Amino acid sequence: MVVVLPLAGVIYQFVATKIDEYRYPARGEMVDVGDYSLHLYCTGKGGGAPTVVMDSGLGGTVLDWQLIQPEVAEFARVCTYDRAGMGWSERGAQPRTSQQFVEELHALLSNAGVEGPYVLIGHSLGGVNVQLYASHYPDEVAGMVLVDSALSALDVLPLTESLQPSPVSMKILATIGLTRLPYTLWGETPGNTSRNLE
């Protein structure tokens, strides 16, 4: 049983992941930012207005903006993205810090050919990220909107550290399917829940 149950979990996780990849393809494009690719989803027409770039809160994805993005797209070009390791984006090798998020976002926008200036919208942790982006690349930023934003990385650091489980334990639990199992038992997957909001 000690060998069979984890092996069954690995097979379950592999098959369920492949099914999810088929049922819920990325909405946008995958953009190379070095050794990995990030998911970028842009809609709307530029029309001379600045490009709106939205950054989600802790644990968020492009789906967090799915009710807002279409409204903004009616008058501006608007882009959302998944940070490395979130949503459809591949994991990056670097530590997950706001400084790293800013460098990844800058590379993402540049490599995807998304022209500025940008109006940056950041929710919670995303608010920290866009403030840092504006301080590093002020010539690229036309404005900022902070939605329930933390004031600085120092405000969210204790919270994020306390909420983060051990990466090793999470990797093990995900590999044997235990992080997915509750969704299966409740009859919903994160993808199904998101799809129901569309």
Side-chain angles (χ1 to χ4, degrees), residues 48-51 53 109 113-119 139-142:
T51 301
V53 178
L109 296 173
V114 178
E115 297 181 4
Y118 310 118
V119 171
D139 294 341
E140 298 180 9
V141 178

Side-chain angles (χ1 to χ4, degrees), residues 105-121:
L105 178 57
H106 187 258
L108 174 66
L109 296 173
S110 176
N111 293 353
V114 178
E115 297 181 4
Y118 310 118
V119 171
L120 303 175
I121 300 178

Side-chain angles (χ1 to χ4, degrees), residues 58-82:
L58 180 67
T61 69
V62 298
L63 297 177
D64 291 357
W65 303 104
Q66 66 181 340
L67 299 178
I68 299 168
Q69 186 165 355
E71 300 292 325
V72 178
E74 292 183 6
F75 59 86
R77 183 78 170 150
V78 56
C79 298
T80 54
Y81 78 107
D82 294 323

Side-chain angles (χ1 to χ4, degrees), residues 23 180-190 192-193 196:
R23 291 172 74 187
R180 179 188 296 271
L181 189 59
Y183 297 106
T184 302
L185 294 176
W186 295 331
E188 284 284 349
T189 66
N192 283 342
T193 302
N196 291 339

Side-chain angles (χ1 to χ4, degrees), residues 3 9 16 33 37 61 79 93 97 104 109 115-116 122 125 133 135-136 142 151 154 156 165 169-170 172 178 180:
V3 173
V33 293
S37 295
T61 69
C79 298
T97 64
E104 288 174 347
L109 296 173
E115 297 181 4
L125 175 62
Y133 192 104
S135 71
H136 280 39
L151 296 177
L154 295 176
V156 296
S169 64
M170 285 306 294
I172 292 170
L178 289 180
R180 179 188 296 271

